[in-house]
Amino acid sequence: MAFDGLMTTRVVKELQPLVGGRINKVYQPYTLDLVFQVRAERKNVLLLASANAMYARMHITSEAVSNPSEPPLFCMMLRKHVEGGFIESIEQLERDRIIVLRVRSRNELGDEEAKKIYVELMGRHSNIILTDGQDKILDAIKHLPLSQNTFRTIMPGMTYQLPPAQDKVDPLTGDIEKALHRIDWNAGKLDRQLLGLFSGLSPQIAKEVVTRAGLANRTNLATAFQDVLKVLDAFFHQKANRDRVKQQAADLERFIKSEYDKNILKRSKLEKDLEATLRMDEWKHKGELLTTYLYQLERGMKEATVVDYYDPDGAEITISLDPRFSPNENAQRYYKRYNKLKTAKVEVARQLEKNQAEIAYFEGLLAQLDVASPEDIREMREELVEEGYLRERQKKKKKPQLPQLEAYRSSTGLPFFVGKNNKQNDYATFKFGRRSDTWLHTKDIPGSHVIIQSDAPDETTLKEAAIVAAYYSKARESSQVPVDFTELRYVKKPSGAKPGFVIYTDQTTLYVTPDPDVVQSLRQ
């Protein structure tokens, strides 16, 4: 999704809770990135602003900030002028990709002063500019001298000027149909004409409007335009929900990611240990040969060259010996190595199996976090406490609550239900569903359990339920995702298995592409 004017509008809306907040710290972890630590609504929030040509953006982040030992000059200027200040407003300038933060702070004498931070999100022209209350430039993350731009100079001491104004219609507040009367239907390149007509559009959105319009005329182009705006609104709404949940679950996500990474490292070590056991037959072989030829050997020898009677050609083999030990003791040392590796092979294989279950478990939790609601997060915390991974936050006992499944109805009228975390999945599969119901899950991919309340659902319901199952899985960004379905009677939970883990038989596989629009339209 491009960071265009429409995206900027939604971002500014999501940043409004920071208004009134205090800027406690300013960091510049990278040349073109700034992070403001803002204390708002009794919690600390990290606000990222980037003038990176490829990834210009502004949003709340939960990522840890690396603080350079020597802060850049622009960072020091910001600390001087806005640290300790309060954000009075966060606004978008018209529908442009420009956000202005108005800050009220105090100078060295204790007098209140107004400052502005302009964040221009314009691709390679992106910039972050600090001015005083009268728009006199104090500094900028990128300097633009007179030699580079005679119209708009960005240097300390100059007056801040907005980029050249364009005669465009605001797609959110303007008259779209009236604006479309300016389209030249003979000129072609409708997407470029839309970019010239409307502010805040990216090339991707303009192309999407034209694609949806098909054989475009003024009427269906206007309809397609409105449809795309509605889709964007739904997208931004869902993204905002995801961002809010991620903020609430930042500590949980860090813990799960840390456990996942630790198990990945452990798997690598276990695989090396398993590889080492491949030599156990070699040690056994050498022990047997030494035992056979003991009569030829003496204490003090450093090696023994004997005929390998296992070799079809009767080739000789040289075996290393420790001169401190007798020939028999050397043979027993080889047997001891063999037995040690034989025991280790069984244990390492057991540990690898356990480790793989842990990896799959935490991989599944990471996938669930991407689509979790605040209630889902609460249940995930409970699960990790019950499994012994986390300590209980409070001792106060709560009345047990049944997990709440998300309800859907297919376009042919059949109800189906989705578990979005392990507690909900286990509940859906082993308590909520009937043995004759149809059960769906992505094939060999972490995801949700889906229950269709029917033993013979129609093809449309099966496909739609499979789309929902694929959407609530790790493969939600993929296409042609394999989804298995079977009767619930064929789904079992192995003894001692992790929450959410099942095995099943008698399945059939569908291939579907996740579609958020379909998911949204079927949700009850």
Side-chain angles (χ1 to χ4, degrees):
M1 181 60 65
F3 212 112
D4 55 20
L6 297 178
M7 173 70 115
T8 305
T9 300
R10 296 302 306 213
V11 167
V12 168
K13 185 177 179 181
E14 292 301 318
L15 295 182
Q16 291 311 301
L18 300 186
V19 173
R22 183 177 188 270
I23 299 176
N24 287 335
K25 294 287 184 182
V26 181
Y27 305 97
Q28 191 172 347
Y30 302 104
T31 306
L32 298 176
D33 289 3
L34 288 172
V35 175
F36 301 87
Q37 186 196 79
V38 182
R39 180 71 177 176
E41 297 183 340
R42 296 191 294 179
K43 61 183 178 181
N44 291 329
V45 176
L46 297 180
L47 175 62
L48 170 70
S50 176
N52 185 293
M54 294 293 293
Y55 306 107
R57 64 203 188 280
M58 188 174 191
H59 56 82
I60 291 171
T61 180
S62 59
E63 295 297 321
V65 178
S66 57
N67 195 17
S69 56
E70 291 292 330
L73 291 176
F74 186 51
C75 181
M76 293 173 66
M77 183 67 76
L78 283 167
R79 289 178 178 179
K80 175 183 176 182
H81 288 283
V82 302
E83 268 194 4
F86 291 86
I87 300 174
E88 292 191 316
S89 66
I90 303 176
E91 302 169 353
Q92 178 185 20
L93 298 184
E94 296 182 347
R95 202 62 63 194
D96 280 338
R97 291 169 289 171
I98 302 176
I99 301 173
V100 56
L101 281 72
R102 299 178 189 272
V103 180
R104 177 70 59 180
S105 60
R106 292 185 182 274
N107 60 21
E108 294 90 339
L109 300 176
D111 298 326
E112 278 198 347
E113 292 183 339
K115 301 291 189 302
K116 297 178 187 176
I117 302 171
Y118 289 90
V119 182
E120 301 178 349
L121 308 170
M122 299 178 172
R124 63 189 179 91
H125 301 297
S126 299
N127 209 339
I128 303 173
I129 303 159
L130 173 66
T131 76
D132 64 13
Q134 285 71 48
D135 279 338
K136 178 183 176 182
I137 297 174
L138 301 175
D139 206 350
I141 207 165
K142 291 181 188 176
H143 288 175
L144 191 63
L146 183 65
S147 59
Q148 292 185 25
N149 192 321
T150 55
F151 173 80
R152 190 168 184 258
T153 303
I154 306 297
M155 293 292 290
M158 302 299 292
T159 299
Y160 175 80
Q161 289 181 294
L162 290 171
Q166 296 174 311
D167 181 24
K168 293 185 178 182
V169 177
D170 186 331
L172 299 183
T173 60
D175 189 332
I176 292 176
E177 292 191 11
K178 183 178 179 181
L180 291 177
H181 280 279
R182 292 157 58 184
I183 290 281
D184 183 350
W185 298 98
N186 296 319
K189 298 180 179 178
L190 292 180
D191 54 330
R192 292 190 182 182
Q193 292 195 59
L194 290 176
L195 287 175
L197 278 176
F198 296 97
S199 61
L201 293 193
S202 65
Q204 295 96 319
I205 292 177
K207 288 179 180 178
E208 179 67 18
V209 171
V210 174
T211 300
R212 286 178 178 243
L215 293 173
N217 56 47
R218 191 172 291 112
T219 300
N220 61 24
L221 193 62
T223 301
F225 205 115
Q226 296 287 3
D227 288 344
V228 168
L229 289 180
K230 289 177 184 177
V231 171
L232 287 174
D233 194 59
F235 168 82
F236 289 129
H237 177 71
Q238 291 174 14
K239 182 182 182 301
N241 283 341
R242 296 278 71 76
D243 290 345
R244 275 194 291 271
V245 169
K246 285 213 167 191
Q247 290 170 39
Q248 295 173 12
D251 62 324
L252 191 66
E253 183 174 24
R254 280 194 298 272
F255 172 79
I256 294 171
K257 184 68 167 60
S258 173
E259 291 296 308
Y260 175 78
D261 290 342
K262 281 195 294 187
N263 277 285
I264 291 293
L265 286 173
K266 185 177 181 180
R267 179 174 66 183
S268 178
K269 182 180 180 301
L270 288 170
E271 286 174 343
K272 288 180 181 177
D273 291 344
L274 189 63
E275 186 178 352
T277 67
L278 297 176
R279 297 194 68 185
M280 67 180 191
D281 289 334
E282 177 188 343
W283 306 135
K284 180 184 178 184
H285 180 55
K286 289 180 176 180
E288 289 175 343
L289 289 175
L290 288 176
T291 302
T292 301
Y293 294 106
L294 281 177
Y295 67 94
Q296 296 181 6
L297 310 177
E298 297 177 357
R299 182 188 290 269
M301 295 177 67
K302 293 183 178 180
E303 60 182 29
T305 301
V306 298
V307 175
D308 185 355
Y309 50 77
Y310 286 108
D311 188 281
D313 298 324
E316 290 187 334
I317 182 173
T318 299
I319 304 172
S320 297
L321 301 174
D322 190 325
R324 297 173 300 167
F325 302 102
S326 70
N328 184 56
E329 287 172 331
N330 271 286
Q332 295 306 313
R333 283 165 63 85
Y334 276 106
Y335 281 128
K336 187 175 181 180
R337 289 184 195 176
Y338 162 71
N339 287 320
K340 185 177 180 181
L341 290 178
K342 183 180 179 182
T343 303
K345 183 177 182 180
V346 175
E347 178 59 22
V348 170
R350 187 185 71 81
Q351 288 289 335
L352 262 174
E353 184 178 358
K354 182 181 178 183
N355 170 255
Q356 192 54 48
E358 292 281 299
I359 290 173
Y361 177 62
F362 286 108
E363 187 177 33
L365 290 177
L366 286 172
Q368 292 166 14
L369 277 174
D370 286 341
V371 291
S373 68
E375 179 61 20
D376 298 331
I377 295 297
R378 183 190 65 78
E379 290 177 346
M380 291 173 74
R381 286 189 194 276
E382 285 182 358
E383 176 188 327
L384 288 168
V385 169
E386 291 167 2
E387 292 297 306
Y389 292 105
L390 290 177
R391 290 184 178 180
E392 194 167 4
R393 285 182 166 183
Q394 54 184 10
K395 296 296 182 182
K396 184 179 178 182
K397 289 187 177 181
K398 293 183 178 180
K399 184 179 179 181
Q401 296 179 343
L402 287 178
Q404 297 297 308
L405 306 178
E406 279 204 352
Y408 291 79
R409 188 173 294 276
S410 73
S411 54
T412 57
L414 274 180
F416 61 96
F417 298 85
V418 178
K420 289 168 58 187
N421 58 43
N422 292 327
K423 275 181 169 286
Q424 294 174 16
N425 285 338
D426 282 349
Y427 172 73
T429 300
F430 300 111
K431 292 185 178 179
F432 177 81
R434 299 168 299 186
R435 285 172 56 80
S436 59
D437 286 345
T438 302
W439 181 90
L440 299 92
H441 190 280
T442 43
K443 183 180 182 66
D444 300 325
I445 300 169
S448 291
H449 296 197
V450 177
I451 305 290
I452 303 174
Q453 291 187 321
S454 169
D455 58 353
D458 56 87
E459 288 187 11
T460 298
T461 298
L462 272 174
K463 182 179 179 181
E464 290 173 345
I467 289 172
V468 173
Y471 179 78
Y472 286 118
S473 79
K474 189 181 177 183
R476 73 178 55 85
E477 302 296 334
S478 306
S479 59
Q480 292 300 299
V481 177
V483 178
D484 287 339
F485 69 91
T486 187
E487 280 193 41
L488 194 53
R489 71 179 76 245
Y490 299 119
V491 183
K492 310 294 180 186
K493 189 174 190 66
S495 177
K498 291 283 187 187
F501 181 80
V502 296
I503 55 176
Y504 54 90
T505 58
D506 296 72
Q507 70 272 21
T508 303
T509 305
L510 290 174
Y511 291 85
V512 296
T513 298
D515 187 334
D517 292 343
V518 171
V519 174
Q520 184 65 27
S521 68
L522 300 176
R523 184 181 286 121
Q524 297 295 295

